[in-house]
Amino acid sequence: MMSLRRYTSFLLLLLKKEKEKESRQSLGWLVMESRRLLNGVAGGVDEDLRGNEDGHQLLTPWASSVASGYTLLRDPHHNKGLAFPEKERDAHYLRGLLPPAVMSQELQEKKIMNMLRQYKVPLHIYMAMMDLQERNERLFYKLLIDNVEELLPIVYTPTVGEACQKYGSIFRRPQGLYISLKEKGKILEVLKNWPERNIQVIVVTDGERILGLGDLGCQGMGIPVGKLSLYTALGGLRPSACLPITIDVGTNNKDLLKDEFYIGLRQNRATGQEYAELLEEFMFAVKQNYGEKVLIQFEDFANHNAFELLAKYSNTHLVFNDDIQGTASVVLAGLIAALKLVGGKLSDQKFLFLGAGEAGTGIAELIALEMSKQTKTSIEETRKKIWLVDSKGLIIASRKETLQHFKKPWAHEHEPMRTLLDAVKAIKPTVLIGSSGVGKTFTKQVVEAMASFNKVSHRHDKQILKPIILALSNPTSQSECTAEEAYTWSEGRAIFASGSPFNPVEYNGKTYVPGQANNAYIFPGLGLGLIISGAIRVKDDMLLAASEALAAQVATENFEKGLIYPPFSNIRKISAHIAANVAAKAYELGLASRLPRPKDLVEYAESCMYNPVYRTYR
């Protein structure tokens, strides 16, 4: 065992070197020497005399807080790789730890994009991107911002769905917090284990309904991680202000429970009071630890929990459900924009949904709210223009007693219709929206029927009747129809958008560019608007404001291509405008706490955005 005399000598050396103001590299050495000597005290043998480490030896996991030398290169928040200039290499003891070449961040970006384009499998690109995020955070976000249209399908849908399915196999290091039933009664302590204190946005899932893939349990963590990457890249929130969380209450996925690489609890899902108590503890621990203004985004909860959680906490917390509210807002924006192509007002349209879950009913409700606002009529009246089909057929009044509560407002008087095709022929909608999570349900017969009674020749007013078809289910394999099918079966007349991306389609010598009704248009800007205004609650009027701001960003050249959404290449500008509209609404409703109100909210939103360009170190 190390003698007291030796340890005293070490402390004297420490004081002497600090007094002489030795370099940070020396201090880093002293911390490492302290770890070595103190572990020698604990174990009775110096590490450098031990040879192979004894797996049973108790050690203290000391870590230096001085980002210098090798430690600096392993810190993703500060690492610049070969972009460290000569002066910084000397100042931070990097000589010999890097090859002699010095690269600009732009050249690094070019190099990595060249590498990524060599991969043939999207999941491999996803894994390479996650590796980059773990070693060089600023380069990761610069890459994503500058190449957003190319990389968005990788870090978000559809590739993130496959990543979640295989998360246990590709898991390398934790990227967020895992809160399981084991942590019940200790959730506040778990939150305090996260190294960042100033958290502004939390994206949380329980993994029960990941995209259209079902229950993926703990492996649903890929969704909060991906969403928060977009909060930073598209909405400009600081990475350190974002916290991904997965709440693990088990899984009912039998394949995962049998998978030896599954990373979550090996039990069936907890439900009822046990589930509610864990979520309640979580919600109040978040508020206690991070304050009133932290935004909690619910993601991919099953229908029954999604509606209940939103209703329960919307009056006590700053909460937002992207599947219900985000999807609704982005779809409404597309419909508002589509009116520029077909003419008329929103209230002139007739809507039919396939899917009556959280997405479908959320979209329907926001459309009804917007029509009510525009026409000054009651929401009960505007709901009558919206029809929903679920797994049992058209939702009608005679089914009301057996319906879930969130479907009941859409139960109108009508004769029973068992299939979607029958409903289309009977209702004759101008807008068909799919949110069913079931692929290939917009069949040729359905699309042809939509096209048959939405023709110019049928009308004598200023409306140009084209069928609006939105196939929103994710990932691509679950889309109700493809872009090619929609354009071909409608003879090129459909206005089409989907949840996942599709390539442009050639039909009869004309190129059609399908739009993507991607929630990533809305939630980054919405979150930024809530944060810059210091909002304490999310209200429907803020979602309407976000939709109107997004629709206003669709330019004439976009409409000429048949697009009802602007290109993602302008997404940061779009997010700033959405944020400004949302913040303005928060101030108008008296829900903003950041005073005084900035004069120019767009300019203020842009000034608050995170910039991933490398910083210069002293």
Side-chain angles (χ1 to χ4, degrees):
M1 182 175 289
M2 185 178 70
S3 67
L4 180 60
R5 179 181 297 175
R6 187 176 172 196
Y7 186 60
T8 304
S9 298
F10 168 74
L11 291 177
L12 289 172
L13 175 64
L14 178 66
L15 290 170
K16 180 182 177 183
K17 285 187 176 289
E18 201 164 357
K19 184 176 180 181
E20 292 172 358
K21 296 185 177 178
E22 295 261 335
S23 69
R24 277 175 286 179
Q25 177 68 13
S26 297
L27 290 176
W29 171 84
L30 287 170
V31 173
M32 288 187 285
E33 185 68 6
S34 170
R35 178 187 63 191
R36 185 179 72 82
L37 290 174
L38 289 176
N39 281 328
V41 171
V45 182
D46 279 357
E47 273 186 294
D48 53 1
L49 298 178
R50 187 182 301 122
N52 292 328
E53 289 188 3
D54 180 356
H56 300 290
Q57 181 67 49
L58 295 176
L59 298 175
T60 303
W62 289 72
S64 169
S65 62
V66 180
S68 187
Y70 191 64
T71 306
L72 179 56
L73 294 178
R74 294 174 67 88
D75 180 354
H77 306 302
H78 301 102
N79 179 31
K80 297 194 278 189
L82 289 178
F84 281 106
E86 301 287 351
K87 185 177 179 182
E88 289 182 4
R89 295 185 185 203
D90 286 329
H92 296 279
Y93 308 95
L94 299 173
R95 286 288 175 192
L97 300 179
L98 291 168
V102 176
M103 286 187 181
S104 66
Q105 192 176 20
E106 289 69 28
L107 188 57
Q108 286 181 310
E109 182 181 346
K110 180 181 178 181
K111 175 186 172 184
I112 291 176
M113 285 306 300
N114 286 341
M115 179 195 74
L116 293 179
R117 287 167 182 152
Q118 302 305 310
Y119 290 112
K120 304 300 181 187
V121 179
L123 185 62
H124 294 168
I125 306 175
Y126 175 89
M127 293 169 68
M129 287 290 289
M130 293 304 103
D131 284 343
L132 176 62
Q133 188 178 22
E134 289 174 9
R135 70 175 186 270
N136 188 331
E137 186 177 81
R138 285 180 174 267
L139 185 55
F140 168 84
Y141 283 111
K142 189 160 196 317
L143 205 72
L144 187 50
I145 291 168
D146 293 348
N147 303 275
V148 64
E149 291 181 302
E150 185 174 349
L151 294 177
L152 186 64
I154 300 299
V155 299
Y156 194 47
T157 182
T159 308
V160 73
E162 184 183 359
C164 287
Q165 289 176 307
K166 300 175 180 176
Y167 209 76
S169 299
I170 67 175
F171 178 81
R172 286 187 169 90
R173 55 179 285 185
Q175 295 176 287
L177 277 178
Y178 295 85
I179 297 173
S180 74
L181 290 169
K182 292 180 179 180
E183 281 71 59
K184 191 174 182 182
K186 300 181 290 186
I187 293 179
L188 183 59
E189 295 173 37
V190 174
L191 292 176
K192 290 180 178 178
N193 287 343
W194 188 250
E196 302 293 343
R197 293 289 172 260
N198 185 21
I199 298 298
Q200 294 175 321
V201 181
I202 290 170
V203 176
V204 59
T205 185
D206 70 354
E208 190 170 1
R209 193 202 62 81
I210 298 298
L211 302 175
L213 303 171
D215 187 350
L216 297 184
C218 195
Q219 296 188 170
M221 177 58 94
I223 297 296
V225 169
K227 290 273 182 175
L228 286 167
S229 295
L230 299 184
Y231 261 113
T232 296
L234 313 187
L237 274 69
R238 291 178 294 106
S240 60
C242 301
L243 174 55
I245 295 180
T246 290
I247 295 179
D248 186 0
V249 295
T251 179
N252 294 332
N253 187 323
K254 293 179 181 178
D255 291 335
L256 288 180
L257 293 174
K258 290 185 288 187
D259 185 351
E260 64 178 322
F261 299 122
Y262 180 54
I263 59 175
L265 289 179
R266 293 180 183 275
Q267 65 173 65
N268 288 330
R269 282 190 170 271
T271 58
Q273 186 175 349
E274 186 179 16
Y275 180 89
E277 287 176 354
L278 188 73
L279 266 293
E280 184 166 359
E281 183 187 348
F282 166 73
M283 293 299 293
F284 284 95
V286 164
K287 197 170 183 179
Q288 184 176 345
N289 201 46
Y290 300 120
E292 180 88 8
K293 291 179 283 186
V294 62
L295 173 61
I296 303 170
Q297 178 171 316
F298 296 122
E299 195 67 42
D300 288 350
F301 284 77
N303 288 344
H304 55 284
N305 289 323
F307 285 104
E308 187 174 324
L309 290 170
L310 190 60
K312 183 174 181 179
Y313 294 108
S314 59
N315 292 321
T316 57
H317 293 67
L318 184 67
V319 294
F320 166 70
N321 185 302
D322 191 42
D323 304 301
I324 299 172
Q325 298 166 294
T327 303
S329 188
V330 76
V331 171
L332 177 59
L335 294 173
I336 293 171
L339 296 177
K340 299 279 182 69
L341 292 171
V342 300
K345 302 187 292 291
L346 198 62
S347 56
D348 295 329
Q349 310 303 316
K350 192 181 288 184
F351 304 86
L352 179 63
F353 285 76
L354 177 63
E358 53 192 292
T361 56
I363 298 165
E365 186 69 6
L366 204 64
I367 292 171
L369 279 169
E370 180 70 10
M371 287 194 291
S372 175
K373 175 184 169 185
Q374 290 180 3
T375 60
K376 310 296 183 188
T377 56
S378 70
I379 192 166
E380 289 77 17
E381 193 64 29
T382 56
R383 282 176 182 152
K384 293 177 182 177
K385 292 181 175 288
I386 302 171
W387 297 81
L388 278 68
V389 173
D390 66 7
S391 60
K392 293 181 174 63
L394 189 66
I395 293 176
I396 54 178
S398 62
R399 293 178 52 196
K400 204 162 190 176
E401 294 305 313
T402 60
L403 291 173
Q404 294 162 288
H405 68 90
F406 52 86
K407 296 182 182 180
K408 289 183 178 181
W410 313 104
H412 311 315
E413 291 292 341
H414 200 282
E415 62 185 286
M417 294 285 160
R418 188 69 186 86
T419 69
L420 174 64
L421 181 58
D422 289 340
V424 167
K425 289 178 177 179
I427 304 298
K428 292 183 170 52
T430 56
V431 181
L432 179 64
I433 299 175
S435 61
S436 63
V438 182
K440 305 299 181 184
T441 42
F442 289 177
T443 62
K444 183 180 181 182
Q445 292 81 4
V446 166
V447 175
E448 286 178 343
M450 282 290 297
S452 69
F453 44 74
N454 284 290
K455 288 185 177 179
V456 179
S457 58
H458 287 188
R459 301 294 298 241
H460 303 287
D461 55 21
K462 293 181 180 179
Q463 290 194 66
I464 303 169
L465 285 189
K466 294 183 176 184
I468 299 172
I469 299 174
L470 308 181
L472 303 178
S473 294
N474 291 314
T476 311
S477 60
Q478 305 303 114
S479 184
E480 285 78 10
C481 69
T482 66
E484 184 175 8
E485 289 167 345
Y487 292 125
T488 303
W489 294 338
S490 68
E491 299 177 340
R493 292 192 300 107
I495 297 171
F496 177 81
S498 56
S500 289
F502 284 102
N503 292 326
V505 175
E506 291 278 343
Y507 179 77
N508 279 354
K510 184 177 179 181
T511 300
Y512 296 86
V513 183
Q516 187 183 0
N518 194 321
N519 292 21
Y521 278 116
I522 289 290
F523 69 80
L526 175 69
L528 180 62
L530 295 170
I531 288 163
I532 65 173
S533 63
I536 57 172
R537 298 290 180 269
V538 177
K539 297 297 181 184
D540 288 335
D541 281 347
M542 297 176 185
L543 302 173
L544 296 178
S547 298
E548 291 161 4
L550 175 56
Q553 294 302 306
V554 187
T556 303
E557 57 265 31
N558 306 138
F559 287 124
E560 289 171 356
K561 296 176 182 176
L563 287 168
I564 54 175
Y565 293 101
F568 263 107
S569 55
N570 298 328
I571 189 60
R572 282 204 148 199
K573 175 188 170 187
I574 294 165
S575 292
H577 281 273
I578 291 172
N581 249 32
V582 170
K585 186 59 67 173
Y587 282 107
E588 181 186 321
L589 296 174
L591 294 172
S593 63
R594 195 177 301 279
L595 300 171
R597 170 180 168 159
K599 290 182 180 178
D600 187 329
L601 284 169
V602 175
E603 185 180 293
Y604 182 63
E606 289 174 337
S607 73
C608 292
M609 284 184 164
Y610 167 81
N611 185 349
V613 173
Y614 287 145
R615 294 172 296 179
T616 301
Y617 299 146
R618 285 193 288 268

